[in-house]
Amino acid sequence: DQQVKQNSPSLSVQEGRISILNCDYTNSMFDYFLWYKKYPAEGPTFLISISSIKDKNEDGRFTVFLNKSAKHLSLHIVPSQPGDSAVYFCAASADTDKLIFGTGTRLQVFP
Amino acid sequence: GAGVSQSPSNKVTEKGKDVELRCDPISGHTALYWYRQSLGQGLEFLIYFQGNSAPDKSGLPSDRFSAERTGGSVSTLTIQRTQQEDSAVYLCASSPHAPALNQPQHFGDGTRLSIL
């Protein structure tokens, strides 16, 4: 069963606009959520995280929102830049170090 | 080193052969993890080390897979009698503490394993 779901395999956004990537989860025990960015032939790079005690965390152009009642989180990138084009993975953990990953969303930012 | 280092970066081998993948975590990181990513899939957890012990091996897909960590540093993942379905990118990650205390895991660039 897929505990972390990213239902949009791809997203295309114009440079300067907002990119919104979504993630849903099923396990109510998850208490820590992360977003990773991955370029081809490289490992995932940590982007931003949020603890379940918060509903928002912001770092520069990146903001993660957590809606625990809906078991939903999203990553907002604004303004989007061409260098943001990559695959974005949502991940979650439940009081252990094991991360459960979604299948990823490929973001393309075009000029 | 500055980041997680994995070797080899690519490995092509024949079905039935054994392979050994190596991970060198970030210096001082006590927790080490192995994941794999099959084509078109997300990352799948394999095993986690705290120091030299492995509290969670739940993700190892079969008894052909094993891993060890020595000296609280380098880890090797061994796959015996490889099968074609073992073809994937094998990723290693490390973090400073375990339990994670909400510390992100930092990944290497992976080993791309292809079984012919």
Side-chain angles (χ1 to χ4, degrees):
Chain A
D1 66 338
Q2 192 74 19
Q3 296 187 67
V4 177
K5 299 178 185 179
Q6 293 177 256
N7 292 320
S8 297
S10 64
L11 176 67
S12 189
V13 172
Q14 189 173 31
E15 181 179 6
R17 306 294 289 266
I18 185 171
S19 295
I20 301 176
L21 296 100
N22 294 302
C23 179
D24 297 294
Y25 61 95
T26 58
N27 189 342
S28 57
M29 299 300 292
F30 287 147
D31 60 2
Y32 183 50
F33 303 88
L34 309 90
W35 284 95
Y36 283 84
K37 173 181 177 180
K38 188 178 184 301
Y39 294 117
E42 294 184 10
T45 301
F46 169 71
L47 205 54
I48 193 169
S49 64
I50 188 166
S51 163
S52 60
I53 62 173
K54 295 185 175 182
D55 54 19
K56 177 182 174 181
N57 189 24
E58 191 172 349
D59 183 2
R61 297 185 299 112
F62 303 91
T63 303
V64 56
F65 295 91
L66 176 63
N67 182 334
K68 288 187 288 295
S69 60
K71 296 192 178 67
H72 177 83
L73 67 156
S74 60
L75 174 68
H76 292 209
I77 307 173
V78 55
S80 301
Q81 300 173 353
D84 297 330
S85 298
V87 178
Y88 289 77
F89 289 97
C90 167
S93 71
D95 198 31
T96 70
D97 290 327
K98 177 167 64 180
L99 290 179
I100 308 299
F101 283 84
T103 51
T105 297
R106 182 178 302 277
L107 173 66
Q108 184 176 12
V109 180
F110 60 93
Chain B
V4 178
S5 178
Q6 291 188 246
S7 61
S9 53
N10 284 284
K11 177 73 177 178
V12 181
T13 192
E14 293 179 348
K15 176 182 169 181
K17 300 285 189 184
D18 297 352
V19 295
E20 206 171 83
L21 313 179
R22 176 188 167 108
C23 172
D24 214 327
I26 293 172
S27 178
H29 280 195
T30 60
L32 184 149
Y33 318 80
W34 284 97
Y35 295 84
R36 74 175 177 181
Q37 184 180 18
S38 302
L39 191 64
Q41 301 297 314
L43 281 74
E44 172 192 7
F45 169 79
L46 297 178
I47 187 170
Y48 144 61
F49 286 92
Q50 167 55 23
N52 292 336
S53 64
D56 190 348
K57 305 179 183 180
S58 62
L60 295 178
S62 77
D63 59 7
R64 296 186 295 105
F65 287 72
S66 63
E68 65 174 15
R69 189 179 185 195
T70 54
S73 181
V74 172
S75 176
T76 53
L77 176 68
T78 302
I79 310 172
Q80 295 179 310
R81 305 180 304 281
T82 52
Q83 303 293 314
Q84 286 186 331
E85 62 262 27
D86 300 335
S87 296
V89 177
Y90 288 81
L91 290 151
C92 177
S94 69
S95 69
H97 306 289
L101 300 176
N102 291 352
Q103 295 274 340
Q105 297 177 20
H106 299 274
F107 284 81
D109 287 339
T111 294
R112 181 174 298 278
L113 177 63
S114 300
I115 309 299
L116 302 179

